[in-house]
Amino acid sequence: TLHQYFEELVWVGFSIAVFAACGSLFVKSPYGKFSSESYGIELDPRIGWWLMEIMASVSFVYFYTGGPQASKPVPLIFASLFVIHYANRGWYFPYNLKVQPGSKSSFSILVVVCGFFVTSLHGFLNATWYGRLATFLDWDWFCSPTCLCGLVVYELGFWSTIRCEYIMRHLRDNTTVRYIIPRGFLFEYVSSPQYFCELVAFFGCAVMTWNPAGAVIFVISASNLIPRAFQTHKWYQEKFEDYPKDRKVIIPFVL
């Protein structure tokens, strides 16, 4: 049945998270400042990000359309939030990345392939949950404290992520230096606030929709982003002698 198939894929997602967490102990994800030619073809990061993230939108729209709940108001609201989220992640973010002129390609095809599979799975699971399986997604649920709290958490995480990405994108506006210490907003507290905010958004989405697929993407993202945040924090400390010593890694005032 569809429900059984959905559950099996949820467990596949959790297995991916365990694999990613274990792998991150030995290997840095080869993109950006940690790019490496050892993993084969490297792409322009704008193309790499687009190819990796685009399948979340494509998969979601394909599987959501035609679902028996697809035209109901509350599933439509959640579907709209998903589409907006990945319109930013899969289209706006890659298009607006600033690549230093003359710099080599820095996005491994390996990351694209792995991300392509995960985002396809993410789109399918969410589309299936909203459009077919979660029959409780009605106005009573939408007005419940659980959903409203999740919605607030999601929106805070989503818009804070956009703010962090804006700061990162404009670091080199007035200089040709490739790497600069980020400052302002949550960067005053942690080295990778964009990762923290993204995890907050995914957590809020999982609560808001009471969705196992939301839990899957939260765990997969955490298994990738938390180790990368530690690697980034260490890289900043080694790269800049004046790097603020009171900055945490990923969670303000905590970690």
Side-chain angles (χ1 to χ4, degrees):
T1 65
L2 179 61
H3 202 286
Q4 182 179 1
Y5 184 58
F6 178 88
E7 290 180 349
E8 290 172 353
L9 287 180
V10 164
W11 285 111
V12 168
F14 284 127
S15 299
I16 292 172
V18 173
F19 178 80
C22 293
S24 67
L25 298 176
F26 306 98
V27 179
K28 298 181 178 71
S29 294
Y31 65 89
K33 59 177 65 68
F34 300 124
S35 63
S36 172
E37 297 178 355
S38 303
Y39 297 94
I41 300 172
E42 292 193 320
L43 304 173
D44 183 302
R46 291 165 293 195
I47 296 174
W49 275 110
W50 181 74
L51 289 174
M52 184 173 70
E53 298 286 355
I54 188 57
M55 280 308 297
S57 301
V58 173
S59 176
F60 181 86
V61 171
Y62 180 81
F63 289 107
Y64 181 81
T65 304
Q69 298 187 163
S71 60
K72 293 182 178 180
V74 174
L76 268 177
I77 291 172
F78 294 147
S80 298
L81 290 175
F82 187 96
V83 170
I84 291 170
H85 186 103
Y86 281 98
N88 172 67
R89 178 57 54 191
W91 296 88
Y92 181 82
F93 176 78
Y95 180 79
N96 286 279
L97 275 175
K98 292 188 177 181
V99 179
Q100 189 177 38
S103 62
K104 70 180 185 67
S105 297
S106 60
F107 205 99
S108 172
I109 192 69
L110 175 64
V111 176
V112 172
V113 172
C114 293
F116 193 89
F117 174 77
V118 171
T119 55
S120 298
L121 178 66
H122 182 41
F124 169 77
L125 289 176
N126 280 277
T128 302
W129 184 253
Y130 299 157
R132 299 179 185 275
L133 297 181
T135 56
F136 64 88
L137 295 180
D138 54 19
W139 287 118
D140 287 341
W141 169 257
F142 189 79
C143 295
S144 68
T146 300
C147 181
L148 293 177
C149 287
L151 176 61
V152 170
V153 171
Y154 169 76
E155 292 292 349
L156 285 173
F158 176 68
W159 291 107
S160 295
T161 301
I162 289 179
R163 176 60 179 165
C164 291
E165 291 171 350
Y166 176 86
I167 291 173
M168 293 290 290
R169 194 161 54 243
H170 290 83
L171 283 177
R172 294 196 299 267
D173 279 355
N174 299 310
T175 179
T176 57
V177 177
R178 184 170 186 182
Y179 293 112
I180 301 169
I181 299 175
R183 300 190 184 277
F185 193 45
L186 295 179
F187 285 100
E188 297 300 324
Y189 306 100
V190 293
S191 294
S192 299
Q194 70 276 30
Y195 298 160
F196 170 68
C197 294
E198 188 168 0
L199 291 176
V200 168
F202 282 138
F203 177 79
C205 185
V207 172
M208 172 180 67
T209 59
W210 213 245
N211 181 2
V216 166
I217 197 62
F218 172 79
V219 173
I220 290 177
S221 298
S223 68
N224 177 49
L225 296 181
I226 293 176
R228 188 171 178 86
F230 275 92
Q231 295 159 3
T232 299
H233 186 71
K234 181 180 179 182
W235 183 89
Y236 274 127
Q237 290 177 322
E238 294 173 348
K239 180 77 173 179
F240 300 101
E241 293 182 0
D242 59 339
Y243 193 71
K245 299 186 182 302
D246 58 345
R247 282 193 193 180
K248 298 294 184 180
V249 177
I250 188 169
I251 303 177
F253 310 111
V254 178
L255 179 64

